[in-house]
Amino acid sequence: MNIFFYWSGQEFDFSNYLAVASAARHTSGADVVVVVDERPVDNVHFRRVERLPGVTVEPLSLASLVSPELRLLYHRMRFVAHRSDLVRLALLAKYGGMYLDTDTLTAGDLSRTPEVLLLEDGKIVYLGCFALPAGHPVLTATLAALEAMPEADLDVYQSIIHLWTRIVRQRSPTVEFGDHDAYFPVHWKNWEDVFTERRPVDSIQVLHHYGYYSRQYTRTMDEEWVNSNDCLFSDLARPLLRDLRRLGW
């Protein structure tokens, strides 16, 4: 099983490290790959990722991944989120596996993830956590649609997620959507609950904490913060940190 992350930018923080480390720790036999466009420089958390057993950091190679049309589109995209969406779709179309955002925290065994894992909340089908086999028609259809992406859509932050949602619902083979609350137990409008409140953790496979907003917590977070703040994030991160220390990671 492949588990992919994508990164671009310099502000790689402790929670981003935990995203990769938790996926590697909770997935036996998986290849965890961090595909990097802009590599963080002199970043202690990124250096820790590079030393994680079972994790490979690879530079983005668009030429081997997408068509010439999509390579041109990638460089015209205004939002890092759009570039990330394009890369994740292309990675799974070529290799298959699972994609996770770097503002997630894995809490359960991902090796049991079904070959097709799609999650929706009634309005969108998520791109922050999903799994599909290589060549799945919904992936190829979305990439083909992106080749004809209108220039105006490059200025709309939600344009790709809306395109993806429409194609999944209209064109893909019938799929059984996964358990939304196991992967997205907190709605984005209530993201702060992750860092301020506690709740049962037994059913959570992957915690998504909406990093666009939550960086006000994570940009200065360290192990001491996790150990001194009682909240959902800490309840999931503490056992992981104990495990990583025991293993010398």
Side-chain angles (χ1 to χ4, degrees):
M1 179 183 183
N2 303 305
I3 299 178
F4 291 104
F5 293 87
Y6 168 90
W7 186 260
S8 180
Q10 297 301 310
E11 298 181 333
F12 193 91
D13 64 29
F14 183 65
S15 74
N16 303 136
Y17 160 73
L18 290 184
V20 180
S22 61
R25 183 68 191 118
H26 285 294
T27 316
S28 57
D31 294 319
V32 178
V33 182
V34 183
V35 176
V36 181
D37 183 350
E38 181 186 355
R39 192 182 192 91
V41 177
D42 295 328
N43 184 296
V44 62
H45 303 301
F46 194 78
R47 289 199 298 269
R48 293 176 76 183
V49 163
E50 294 178 300
R51 296 194 296 266
L52 285 171
V55 174
T56 302
V57 177
E58 297 182 357
L60 174 63
S61 175
L62 282 174
S64 65
L65 195 60
V66 298
S67 66
E69 292 80 8
L70 289 178
R71 292 202 297 273
L72 290 172
L73 174 65
Y74 182 88
H75 292 296
R76 296 199 335 268
M77 286 174 161
R78 280 71 132 165
F79 300 113
V80 172
H82 281 185
R83 297 195 291 271
S84 176
D85 288 343
L86 173 54
V87 170
R88 72 189 69 183
L89 292 165
L91 284 167
L92 292 201
K94 183 171 183 177
Y95 300 108
M98 186 174 193
Y99 180 86
L100 289 172
D101 273 343
T102 52
D103 54 0
T104 57
L105 184 67
T106 299
D109 184 1
L110 293 182
S111 63
R112 300 177 183 177
T113 302
E115 189 177 38
V116 174
L117 175 69
L118 295 173
L119 304 160
E120 65 169 353
D121 70 352
K123 294 182 178 179
I124 63 168
V125 178
Y126 289 102
L127 274 170
C129 170
F130 71 109
L132 287 169
H136 192 280
V138 75
L139 293 168
T140 56
T142 306
L143 291 172
L146 286 175
E147 289 188 357
M149 186 175 183
E151 190 71 21
D153 284 359
L154 296 176
D155 293 319
V156 181
Y157 190 81
Q158 293 287 340
S159 59
I160 293 182
I161 191 68
H162 288 156
L163 172 67
W164 161 256
T165 296
R166 184 169 66 253
I167 290 175
V168 168
R169 291 179 174 160
Q170 293 178 356
R171 301 190 190 180
S172 72
T174 301
V175 297
E176 180 179 344
F177 285 97
D179 179 4
H180 173 273
D181 289 339
Y183 295 85
F184 291 83
V186 180
H187 191 270
W188 70 267
K189 290 182 179 178
N190 307 109
W191 65 268
E192 199 160 14
D193 293 355
V194 170
F195 302 96
T196 57
E197 297 184 10
R198 308 183 78 175
R199 64 175 64 198
V201 300
D202 293 345
S203 64
I204 298 175
Q205 284 287 99
V206 174
L207 177 73
H208 190 261
H209 56 82
Y210 304 94
Y212 177 83
Y213 306 98
S214 63
R215 273 194 58 78
Q216 62 182 276
Y217 286 97
T218 63
R219 67 165 52 94
T220 58
M221 182 184 288
D222 55 17
E223 190 165 343
E224 182 179 351
W225 189 99
V226 171
N227 289 326
S228 59
N229 285 270
D230 290 329
C231 60
L232 176 58
F233 187 93
S234 295
D235 286 345
L236 293 174
R238 283 178 193 140
L240 170 68
L241 290 172
R242 289 194 296 268
D243 208 14
L244 295 177
R245 285 196 300 272
R246 179 178 63 81
L247 293 169
W249 290 18

